[in-house]
Short mmCIF file of all heavy atoms in Angstrom, two decimals:
data_model
loop_
_atom_site.label_atom_id
_atom_site.label_comp_id
_atom_site.label_asym_id
_atom_site.label_seq_id
_atom_site.Cartn_x
_atom_site.Cartn_y
_atom_site.Cartn_z
N MET A 1 99.46 -103.95 -149.97
CA MET A 1 98.72 -104.33 -148.79
C MET A 1 98.99 -105.81 -148.49
O MET A 1 99.08 -106.63 -149.38
CB MET A 1 97.23 -104.10 -149.00
CG MET A 1 96.38 -104.48 -147.80
SD MET A 1 94.63 -104.30 -148.14
CE MET A 1 94.31 -102.83 -147.22
N SER A 2 99.11 -106.12 -147.21
CA SER A 2 99.38 -107.47 -146.77
C SER A 2 98.19 -108.39 -147.08
O SER A 2 97.04 -107.96 -147.02
CB SER A 2 99.64 -107.47 -145.26
OG SER A 2 99.71 -108.78 -144.78
N PRO A 3 98.45 -109.65 -147.42
CA PRO A 3 97.34 -110.57 -147.68
C PRO A 3 96.54 -110.88 -146.41
O PRO A 3 95.41 -111.32 -146.49
CB PRO A 3 98.02 -111.83 -148.21
CG PRO A 3 99.42 -111.73 -147.75
CD PRO A 3 99.73 -110.27 -147.61
N ARG A 4 97.14 -110.66 -145.23
CA ARG A 4 96.42 -110.88 -143.98
C ARG A 4 95.68 -109.62 -143.59
O ARG A 4 96.21 -108.53 -143.67
CB ARG A 4 97.40 -111.26 -142.88
CG ARG A 4 98.05 -112.61 -143.14
CD ARG A 4 98.92 -113.00 -142.04
NE ARG A 4 98.19 -112.91 -140.78
CZ ARG A 4 98.60 -113.42 -139.65
NH1 ARG A 4 99.74 -114.04 -139.61
NH2 ARG A 4 97.89 -113.29 -138.56
N THR A 5 94.46 -109.79 -143.16
CA THR A 5 93.68 -108.64 -142.74
C THR A 5 93.32 -108.78 -141.28
O THR A 5 93.46 -109.84 -140.69
CB THR A 5 92.39 -108.51 -143.57
OG1 THR A 5 91.64 -109.71 -143.41
CG2 THR A 5 92.70 -108.27 -145.04
N GLY A 6 92.83 -107.73 -140.69
CA GLY A 6 92.45 -107.77 -139.29
C GLY A 6 93.55 -107.23 -138.40
O GLY A 6 94.63 -106.86 -138.86
N ARG A 7 93.25 -107.20 -137.12
CA ARG A 7 94.21 -106.67 -136.16
C ARG A 7 95.29 -107.70 -135.85
O ARG A 7 95.00 -108.88 -135.70
CB ARG A 7 93.49 -106.33 -134.85
CG ARG A 7 92.49 -105.24 -135.00
CD ARG A 7 91.85 -104.98 -133.66
NE ARG A 7 90.72 -104.08 -133.83
CZ ARG A 7 89.88 -103.78 -132.87
NH1 ARG A 7 90.02 -104.31 -131.69
NH2 ARG A 7 88.90 -102.95 -133.08
N PRO A 8 96.52 -107.24 -135.70
CA PRO A 8 97.59 -108.17 -135.29
C PRO A 8 97.34 -108.61 -133.84
O PRO A 8 96.84 -107.84 -133.02
CB PRO A 8 98.86 -107.34 -135.39
CG PRO A 8 98.48 -105.98 -135.76
CD PRO A 8 97.01 -105.91 -135.96
N THR A 9 97.69 -109.84 -133.53
CA THR A 9 97.48 -110.34 -132.18
C THR A 9 98.54 -111.37 -131.83
O THR A 9 99.08 -112.05 -132.70
CB THR A 9 96.08 -110.97 -132.02
OG1 THR A 9 95.94 -111.41 -130.68
CG2 THR A 9 95.85 -112.12 -132.96
N ASP A 10 98.85 -111.46 -130.55
CA ASP A 10 99.76 -112.49 -130.07
C ASP A 10 99.01 -113.78 -129.79
O ASP A 10 99.60 -114.85 -129.74
CB ASP A 10 100.45 -112.03 -128.78
CG ASP A 10 101.40 -110.87 -129.05
OD1 ASP A 10 101.92 -110.76 -130.17
OD2 ASP A 10 101.62 -110.07 -128.12
N ALA A 11 97.71 -113.68 -129.56
CA ALA A 11 96.89 -114.85 -129.24
C ALA A 11 95.99 -115.17 -130.42
O ALA A 11 94.86 -114.72 -130.50
CB ALA A 11 96.06 -114.58 -127.99
N ARG A 12 96.51 -115.99 -131.33
CA ARG A 12 95.72 -116.34 -132.52
C ARG A 12 94.48 -117.11 -132.13
O ARG A 12 94.51 -117.94 -131.24
CB ARG A 12 96.56 -117.17 -133.47
CG ARG A 12 97.69 -116.34 -134.04
CD ARG A 12 98.28 -116.95 -135.24
NE ARG A 12 97.22 -117.21 -136.20
CZ ARG A 12 97.42 -117.73 -137.37
NH1 ARG A 12 98.63 -118.01 -137.76
NH2 ARG A 12 96.42 -117.95 -138.18
N LYS A 13 93.41 -116.82 -132.80
CA LYS A 13 92.14 -117.49 -132.56
C LYS A 13 91.84 -118.38 -133.76
O LYS A 13 91.34 -117.93 -134.77
CB LYS A 13 91.04 -116.46 -132.31
CG LYS A 13 91.24 -115.75 -130.98
CD LYS A 13 90.83 -114.31 -131.06
CE LYS A 13 91.21 -113.57 -129.82
NZ LYS A 13 92.54 -113.03 -129.87
N ASN A 14 92.22 -119.64 -133.61
CA ASN A 14 92.14 -120.58 -134.74
C ASN A 14 90.80 -121.30 -134.85
O ASN A 14 90.58 -122.01 -135.82
CB ASN A 14 93.25 -121.62 -134.61
CG ASN A 14 94.61 -120.99 -134.73
OD1 ASN A 14 94.81 -120.07 -135.51
ND2 ASN A 14 95.55 -121.47 -133.94
N HIS A 15 89.94 -121.17 -133.86
CA HIS A 15 88.70 -121.93 -133.86
C HIS A 15 87.51 -120.98 -133.92
O HIS A 15 87.46 -119.97 -133.24
CB HIS A 15 88.61 -122.80 -132.62
CG HIS A 15 89.75 -123.75 -132.51
ND1 HIS A 15 89.81 -124.93 -133.22
CD2 HIS A 15 90.90 -123.67 -131.81
CE1 HIS A 15 90.94 -125.54 -132.95
NE2 HIS A 15 91.62 -124.79 -132.09
N ASP A 16 86.56 -121.36 -134.72
CA ASP A 16 85.34 -120.58 -134.90
C ASP A 16 84.19 -121.38 -134.30
O ASP A 16 84.03 -122.56 -134.59
CB ASP A 16 85.11 -120.37 -136.40
CG ASP A 16 83.95 -119.46 -136.71
OD1 ASP A 16 83.55 -118.68 -135.83
OD2 ASP A 16 83.45 -119.53 -137.84
N LEU A 17 83.39 -120.72 -133.44
CA LEU A 17 82.25 -121.39 -132.83
C LEU A 17 80.96 -120.78 -133.35
O LEU A 17 80.89 -119.58 -133.61
CB LEU A 17 82.27 -121.20 -131.31
CG LEU A 17 83.48 -121.73 -130.56
CD1 LEU A 17 83.38 -121.35 -129.10
CD2 LEU A 17 83.56 -123.23 -130.72
N LYS A 18 79.96 -121.61 -133.46
CA LYS A 18 78.64 -121.12 -133.82
C LYS A 18 77.66 -121.69 -132.81
O LYS A 18 77.66 -122.88 -132.55
CB LYS A 18 78.23 -121.55 -135.23
CG LYS A 18 76.87 -121.01 -135.61
CD LYS A 18 76.49 -121.37 -137.02
CE LYS A 18 75.09 -120.83 -137.27
NZ LYS A 18 74.67 -121.04 -138.62
N VAL A 19 76.86 -120.81 -132.27
CA VAL A 19 75.86 -121.24 -131.29
C VAL A 19 74.58 -120.48 -131.56
O VAL A 19 74.61 -119.30 -131.90
CB VAL A 19 76.38 -121.03 -129.85
CG1 VAL A 19 76.69 -119.59 -129.57
CG2 VAL A 19 75.42 -121.57 -128.84
N ARG A 20 73.47 -121.17 -131.42
CA ARG A 20 72.17 -120.53 -131.62
C ARG A 20 71.60 -120.18 -130.25
O ARG A 20 71.65 -120.99 -129.34
CB ARG A 20 71.24 -121.45 -132.39
CG ARG A 20 71.75 -121.72 -133.80
CD ARG A 20 70.89 -122.72 -134.53
NE ARG A 20 69.53 -122.27 -134.71
CZ ARG A 20 69.09 -121.54 -135.74
NH1 ARG A 20 69.92 -121.20 -136.69
NH2 ARG A 20 67.83 -121.19 -135.81
N VAL A 21 71.09 -118.97 -130.11
CA VAL A 21 70.50 -118.52 -128.86
C VAL A 21 69.15 -117.86 -129.15
O VAL A 21 68.90 -117.40 -130.26
CB VAL A 21 71.41 -117.52 -128.11
CG1 VAL A 21 72.72 -118.18 -127.72
CG2 VAL A 21 71.68 -116.28 -128.93
N ASP A 22 68.31 -117.82 -128.11
CA ASP A 22 67.02 -117.16 -128.29
C ASP A 22 67.18 -115.64 -128.18
O ASP A 22 68.25 -115.14 -127.84
CB ASP A 22 65.98 -117.69 -127.30
CG ASP A 22 66.35 -117.46 -125.85
OD1 ASP A 22 67.20 -116.60 -125.55
OD2 ASP A 22 65.79 -118.15 -124.99
N ASP A 23 66.11 -114.93 -128.49
CA ASP A 23 66.16 -113.46 -128.48
C ASP A 23 66.54 -112.89 -127.12
O ASP A 23 67.28 -111.92 -127.04
CB ASP A 23 64.80 -112.88 -128.91
CG ASP A 23 64.50 -113.11 -130.38
OD1 ASP A 23 65.45 -113.36 -131.15
OD2 ASP A 23 63.32 -113.05 -130.75
N LYS A 24 66.02 -113.51 -126.07
CA LYS A 24 66.26 -113.02 -124.72
C LYS A 24 67.76 -113.08 -124.37
O LYS A 24 68.34 -112.11 -123.86
CB LYS A 24 65.45 -113.85 -123.74
CG LYS A 24 65.27 -113.25 -122.40
CD LYS A 24 64.37 -114.19 -121.57
CE LYS A 24 63.54 -113.42 -120.60
NZ LYS A 24 62.69 -114.28 -119.80
N LEU A 25 68.40 -114.22 -124.64
CA LEU A 25 69.82 -114.37 -124.35
C LEU A 25 70.67 -113.47 -125.25
O LEU A 25 71.64 -112.86 -124.80
CB LEU A 25 70.24 -115.83 -124.50
CG LEU A 25 71.68 -116.16 -124.11
CD1 LEU A 25 71.98 -115.74 -122.67
CD2 LEU A 25 71.93 -117.65 -124.29
N TYR A 26 70.28 -113.34 -126.50
CA TYR A 26 70.99 -112.46 -127.42
C TYR A 26 70.95 -111.01 -126.93
O TYR A 26 71.96 -110.32 -126.92
CB TYR A 26 70.40 -112.57 -128.83
CG TYR A 26 71.15 -111.75 -129.84
CD1 TYR A 26 72.35 -112.20 -130.38
CD2 TYR A 26 70.67 -110.50 -130.26
CE1 TYR A 26 73.05 -111.45 -131.31
CE2 TYR A 26 71.36 -109.75 -131.18
CZ TYR A 26 72.55 -110.22 -131.70
OH TYR A 26 73.25 -109.47 -132.60
N ASP A 27 69.78 -110.57 -126.49
CA ASP A 27 69.65 -109.21 -125.97
C ASP A 27 70.51 -109.01 -124.73
O ASP A 27 71.13 -107.95 -124.55
CB ASP A 27 68.19 -108.89 -125.66
CG ASP A 27 67.34 -108.75 -126.90
OD1 ASP A 27 67.90 -108.53 -128.00
OD2 ASP A 27 66.10 -108.87 -126.79
N ARG A 28 70.55 -110.03 -123.86
CA ARG A 28 71.42 -109.94 -122.67
C ARG A 28 72.88 -109.80 -123.08
O ARG A 28 73.63 -109.02 -122.49
CB ARG A 28 71.23 -111.17 -121.79
CG ARG A 28 69.90 -111.18 -121.06
CD ARG A 28 69.66 -112.46 -120.31
NE ARG A 28 70.70 -112.77 -119.35
CZ ARG A 28 70.89 -113.98 -118.84
NH1 ARG A 28 70.11 -114.98 -119.19
NH2 ARG A 28 71.84 -114.18 -117.96
N LEU A 29 73.30 -110.58 -124.08
CA LEU A 29 74.68 -110.50 -124.56
C LEU A 29 74.99 -109.11 -125.11
O LEU A 29 76.02 -108.52 -124.80
CB LEU A 29 74.92 -111.57 -125.64
CG LEU A 29 76.26 -111.47 -126.37
CD1 LEU A 29 77.42 -111.70 -125.42
CD2 LEU A 29 76.30 -112.43 -127.54
N ILE A 30 74.10 -108.58 -125.92
CA ILE A 30 74.31 -107.26 -126.51
C ILE A 30 74.40 -106.19 -125.42
O ILE A 30 75.29 -105.33 -125.45
CB ILE A 30 73.17 -106.92 -127.51
CG1 ILE A 30 73.18 -107.91 -128.68
CG2 ILE A 30 73.28 -105.48 -128.00
CD1 ILE A 30 74.49 -107.96 -129.44
N ARG A 31 73.50 -106.24 -124.46
CA ARG A 31 73.52 -105.26 -123.36
C ARG A 31 74.82 -105.37 -122.56
O ARG A 31 75.43 -104.37 -122.20
CB ARG A 31 72.31 -105.42 -122.46
CG ARG A 31 71.03 -104.89 -123.08
CD ARG A 31 69.90 -104.74 -122.07
NE ARG A 31 69.70 -105.90 -121.22
CZ ARG A 31 68.89 -106.93 -121.49
NH1 ARG A 31 68.16 -106.91 -122.60
NH2 ARG A 31 68.76 -107.93 -120.66
N TYR A 32 75.24 -106.59 -122.28
CA TYR A 32 76.49 -106.81 -121.53
C TYR A 32 77.68 -106.25 -122.32
O TYR A 32 78.52 -105.53 -121.77
CB TYR A 32 76.68 -108.30 -121.25
CG TYR A 32 78.00 -108.62 -120.59
CD1 TYR A 32 78.18 -108.38 -119.24
CD2 TYR A 32 79.05 -109.15 -121.32
CE1 TYR A 32 79.39 -108.66 -118.63
CE2 TYR A 32 80.26 -109.43 -120.73
CZ TYR A 32 80.44 -109.19 -119.38
OH TYR A 32 81.64 -109.46 -118.79
N ALA A 33 77.75 -106.59 -123.59
CA ALA A 33 78.87 -106.12 -124.43
C ALA A 33 78.90 -104.60 -124.49
O ALA A 33 79.98 -103.99 -124.37
CB ALA A 33 78.76 -106.72 -125.83
N GLU A 34 77.76 -103.97 -124.66
CA GLU A 34 77.71 -102.52 -124.72
C GLU A 34 78.11 -101.90 -123.38
O GLU A 34 78.86 -100.92 -123.35
CB GLU A 34 76.32 -102.05 -125.12
CG GLU A 34 76.00 -102.30 -126.58
CD GLU A 34 74.57 -101.97 -126.96
OE1 GLU A 34 73.75 -101.66 -126.07
OE2 GLU A 34 74.27 -102.03 -128.17
N ALA A 35 77.63 -102.47 -122.27
CA ALA A 35 77.95 -101.94 -120.95
C ALA A 35 79.44 -102.05 -120.64
O ALA A 35 80.01 -101.18 -119.96
CB ALA A 35 77.14 -102.68 -119.89
N GLU A 36 80.07 -103.10 -121.15
CA GLU A 36 81.50 -103.32 -120.90
C GLU A 36 82.38 -102.78 -122.03
O GLU A 36 83.59 -102.97 -122.01
CB GLU A 36 81.77 -104.82 -120.71
CG GLU A 36 81.04 -105.42 -119.53
CD GLU A 36 81.51 -104.84 -118.20
OE1 GLU A 36 82.71 -104.55 -118.07
OE2 GLU A 36 80.66 -104.69 -117.30
N ASN A 37 81.75 -102.12 -123.01
CA ASN A 37 82.47 -101.56 -124.17
C ASN A 37 83.29 -102.64 -124.88
O ASN A 37 84.48 -102.48 -125.14
CB ASN A 37 83.35 -100.39 -123.73
CG ASN A 37 83.76 -99.54 -124.90
OD1 ASN A 37 83.07 -99.45 -125.90
ND2 ASN A 37 84.92 -98.91 -124.79
N MET A 38 82.63 -103.76 -125.19
CA MET A 38 83.25 -104.88 -125.87
C MET A 38 82.46 -105.23 -127.12
O MET A 38 81.29 -104.87 -127.22
CB MET A 38 83.22 -106.14 -124.98
CG MET A 38 83.93 -106.10 -123.70
SD MET A 38 83.64 -107.68 -122.85
CE MET A 38 84.73 -107.51 -121.48
N THR A 39 83.10 -105.97 -127.99
CA THR A 39 82.36 -106.55 -129.11
C THR A 39 81.64 -107.79 -128.59
O THR A 39 81.92 -108.28 -127.48
CB THR A 39 83.31 -106.97 -130.25
OG1 THR A 39 84.15 -108.03 -129.77
CG2 THR A 39 84.14 -105.81 -130.76
N LYS A 40 80.73 -108.32 -129.38
CA LYS A 40 80.05 -109.56 -128.99
C LYS A 40 81.07 -110.68 -128.78
O LYS A 40 80.98 -111.42 -127.80
CB LYS A 40 79.03 -109.99 -130.05
CG LYS A 40 77.79 -109.15 -130.10
CD LYS A 40 76.79 -109.69 -131.11
CE LYS A 40 77.33 -109.51 -132.51
NZ LYS A 40 76.37 -109.84 -133.57
N ALA A 41 82.01 -110.81 -129.69
CA ALA A 41 83.01 -111.88 -129.58
C ALA A 41 83.86 -111.72 -128.32
O ALA A 41 84.13 -112.71 -127.63
CB ALA A 41 83.90 -111.89 -130.82
N GLU A 42 84.27 -110.49 -128.01
CA GLU A 42 85.04 -110.27 -126.79
C GLU A 42 84.23 -110.63 -125.55
O GLU A 42 84.75 -111.24 -124.62
CB GLU A 42 85.48 -108.80 -126.70
CG GLU A 42 86.55 -108.42 -127.68
CD GLU A 42 86.79 -106.92 -127.75
OE1 GLU A 42 85.84 -106.13 -127.53
OE2 GLU A 42 87.95 -106.54 -128.01
N ALA A 43 82.96 -110.26 -125.55
CA ALA A 43 82.09 -110.56 -124.42
C ALA A 43 81.94 -112.07 -124.23
O ALA A 43 82.02 -112.57 -123.11
CB ALA A 43 80.73 -109.90 -124.60
N ILE A 44 81.75 -112.79 -125.32
CA ILE A 44 81.61 -114.24 -125.24
C ILE A 44 82.90 -114.86 -124.71
O ILE A 44 82.88 -115.73 -123.83
CB ILE A 44 81.21 -114.83 -126.60
CG1 ILE A 44 79.79 -114.39 -126.96
CG2 ILE A 44 81.34 -116.35 -126.60
CD1 ILE A 44 79.41 -114.63 -128.40
N ARG A 45 84.06 -114.44 -125.25
CA ARG A 45 85.35 -114.95 -124.77
C ARG A 45 85.53 -114.65 -123.28
O ARG A 45 85.99 -115.50 -122.51
CB ARG A 45 86.50 -114.38 -125.58
CG ARG A 45 86.67 -115.03 -126.94
CD ARG A 45 87.98 -114.67 -127.59
NE ARG A 45 88.04 -113.28 -127.97
CZ ARG A 45 87.65 -112.80 -129.16
NH1 ARG A 45 87.17 -113.63 -130.07
NH2 ARG A 45 87.74 -111.53 -129.43
N HIS A 46 85.16 -113.45 -122.85
CA HIS A 46 85.30 -113.07 -121.44
C HIS A 46 84.44 -113.97 -120.56
O HIS A 46 84.89 -114.46 -119.51
CB HIS A 46 84.90 -111.61 -121.26
CG HIS A 46 84.99 -111.15 -119.85
ND1 HIS A 46 83.92 -111.11 -119.01
CD2 HIS A 46 86.05 -110.73 -119.13
CE1 HIS A 46 84.30 -110.69 -117.82
NE2 HIS A 46 85.61 -110.44 -117.87
N VAL A 47 83.20 -114.19 -120.95
CA VAL A 47 82.31 -115.05 -120.15
C VAL A 47 82.85 -116.48 -120.11
O VAL A 47 82.87 -117.11 -119.04
CB VAL A 47 80.87 -115.01 -120.72
CG1 VAL A 47 80.00 -116.07 -120.07
CG2 VAL A 47 80.27 -113.63 -120.52
N LEU A 48 83.32 -117.00 -121.22
CA LEU A 48 83.88 -118.35 -121.23
C LEU A 48 85.11 -118.45 -120.34
O LEU A 48 85.25 -119.40 -119.55
CB LEU A 48 84.23 -118.78 -122.66
CG LEU A 48 83.06 -119.04 -123.60
CD1 LEU A 48 83.55 -119.26 -125.03
CD2 LEU A 48 82.25 -120.23 -123.13
N GLU A 49 86.01 -117.48 -120.44
CA GLU A 49 87.22 -117.47 -119.59
C GLU A 49 86.86 -117.38 -118.11
O GLU A 49 87.49 -118.00 -117.27
CB GLU A 49 88.13 -116.29 -119.97
CG GLU A 49 88.93 -116.50 -121.22
CD GLU A 49 90.04 -117.53 -121.05
OE1 GLU A 49 90.50 -117.77 -119.91
OE2 GLU A 49 90.45 -118.10 -122.06
N THR A 50 85.83 -116.61 -117.80
CA THR A 50 85.44 -116.39 -116.41
C THR A 50 84.80 -117.63 -115.80
O THR A 50 85.08 -117.98 -114.65
CB THR A 50 84.46 -115.21 -116.32
OG1 THR A 50 85.11 -114.04 -116.82
CG2 THR A 50 84.03 -114.96 -114.89
N TYR A 51 83.99 -118.34 -116.55
CA TYR A 51 83.18 -119.40 -115.98
C TYR A 51 83.65 -120.83 -116.25
O TYR A 51 83.18 -121.74 -115.60
CB TYR A 51 81.73 -119.24 -116.41
CG TYR A 51 81.12 -118.04 -115.75
CD1 TYR A 51 80.98 -116.85 -116.45
CD2 TYR A 51 80.73 -118.07 -114.43
CE1 TYR A 51 80.45 -115.72 -115.84
CE2 TYR A 51 80.20 -116.94 -113.80
CZ TYR A 51 80.07 -115.78 -114.51
OH TYR A 51 79.56 -114.66 -113.90
N LEU A 52 84.56 -121.02 -117.18
CA LEU A 52 85.06 -122.37 -117.43
C LEU A 52 86.29 -122.63 -116.56
O LEU A 52 87.13 -121.75 -116.40
CB LEU A 52 85.43 -122.56 -118.90
CG LEU A 52 84.27 -122.59 -119.88
CD1 LEU A 52 84.80 -122.70 -121.32
CD2 LEU A 52 83.35 -123.75 -119.57
N PRO A 53 86.43 -123.83 -116.01
CA PRO A 53 87.61 -124.14 -115.20
C PRO A 53 88.87 -124.15 -116.05
O PRO A 53 88.82 -124.37 -117.27
CB PRO A 53 87.32 -125.54 -114.65
CG PRO A 53 86.17 -126.07 -115.41
CD PRO A 53 85.49 -124.93 -116.10
N ASN A 54 90.00 -123.89 -115.42
CA ASN A 54 91.30 -123.81 -116.12
C ASN A 54 92.06 -125.12 -116.15
O ASN A 54 93.27 -125.13 -116.13
CB ASN A 54 92.18 -122.73 -115.48
CG ASN A 54 91.74 -121.35 -115.82
OD1 ASN A 54 91.18 -121.12 -116.90
ND2 ASN A 54 91.94 -120.42 -114.92
N ASN A 55 91.39 -126.24 -116.19
CA ASN A 55 92.13 -127.51 -116.19
C ASN A 55 92.02 -128.21 -117.49
O ASN A 55 91.37 -127.98 -118.38
CB ASN A 55 91.65 -128.44 -115.08
CG ASN A 55 90.14 -128.62 -115.08
OD1 ASN A 55 89.45 -128.15 -115.96
ND2 ASN A 55 89.67 -129.29 -114.08
#
């Protein structure tokens, strides 16, 4: 077995973020992720990509 685990990807994710949120925001995130058939991490990345400027 390879020493690397996880899914292969062309877009390596080298940075790990930690953010604290209240129950209400967490529930919104979970509902959004489930509705879009995404993981929490995918949903967060999608929201960041959508709302942050590209400059």
